[in-house]
Amino acid sequence: GTWGFKGSAFVFESENALANLSSDAMAAQVEAKVDQYLAKLNIKEDACNITFNEDNTCIFEAGNRALNGTYEFNDETKELSLKFGLISTTAYLVYDAGTINIVYQSDGLLRILKAIGSMKSSGTLALLSTLLDQYDGLRIGMAFQK
């Protein structure tokens, strides 16, 4: 089905990542910055969604851009493999009370954002990359709701 973008998503892999963020205020600050960068790519509520079809095709839409692709989901490992043309990435899917969180190591998220592309400023991705590199053991991505 079709899932609408809700906001950025964070999943901690280790206590180290949680210690790095150290407080809810810090986590909220990082989330606000990530949401700000995503919005520059039209990845924001009411402008972005992902549709998973039963035939393992999918479409990711952000603003007036769309990426058609395929997906595979491993229920045991919770790995979600996505392929959009030449771009392939593996995310982790975390389901929580009607919300799916599609989260990546930071380099996987940046690969998808570049594919959405033709960014007017590569500085946005550079800033996001610098921000995400500060946190070991943190998976970050996007939350979607039906």
Side-chain angles (χ1 to χ4, degrees):
T2 298
W3 298 78
F5 180 75
K6 180 180 170 188
S8 55
F10 299 85
V11 174
F12 299 99
E13 292 178 343
S14 67
E15 291 299 317
N16 184 34
L18 186 57
N20 283 345
L21 282 178
S22 76
S23 73
D24 289 340
M26 179 73 155
Q29 188 176 42
V30 172
E31 183 176 342
K33 284 194 177 287
V34 171
D35 284 342
Q36 179 184 22
Y37 294 130
L38 292 175
K40 290 181 181 184
L41 298 171
N42 275 322
I43 301 174
K44 55 189 173 185
E45 285 189 62
D46 300 324
C48 176
N49 63 60
I50 189 163
T51 302
F52 296 102
N53 299 308
E54 289 184 19
D55 65 355
N56 287 65
T57 60
C58 61
I59 184 167
F60 181 85
E61 298 173 294
N64 61 357
R65 301 198 187 282
L67 294 174
N68 292 298
T70 59
Y71 73 94
E72 289 183 31
F73 180 66
N74 182 323
D75 194 41
E76 186 175 307
T77 63
K78 306 300 183 208
E79 290 182 337
L80 176 65
S81 298
L82 297 164
K83 184 171 184 174
F84 298 101
L86 298 175
I87 306 297
S88 295
T89 187
T90 299
Y92 297 89
L93 191 134
V94 179
Y95 181 81
D96 182 30
T99 299
I100 58 170
N101 298 303
I102 300 173
V103 294
Y104 301 87
Q105 298 292 358
S106 61
D107 61 337
L109 177 63
L110 293 172
R111 196 172 321 133
I112 287 293
L113 295 180
K114 286 178 185 176
I116 292 167
S118 80
M119 292 211 13
K120 295 180 174 90
S121 167
S122 61
T124 299
L125 285 178
L127 287 171
L128 184 56
S129 178
T130 300
L131 175 72
L132 297 179
D133 285 343
Q134 296 175 29
Y135 302 100
D136 285 334
L138 174 66
R139 291 185 182 177
I140 187 167
M142 298 169 274
F144 294 87
Q145 202 166 33
K146 264 207 174 219

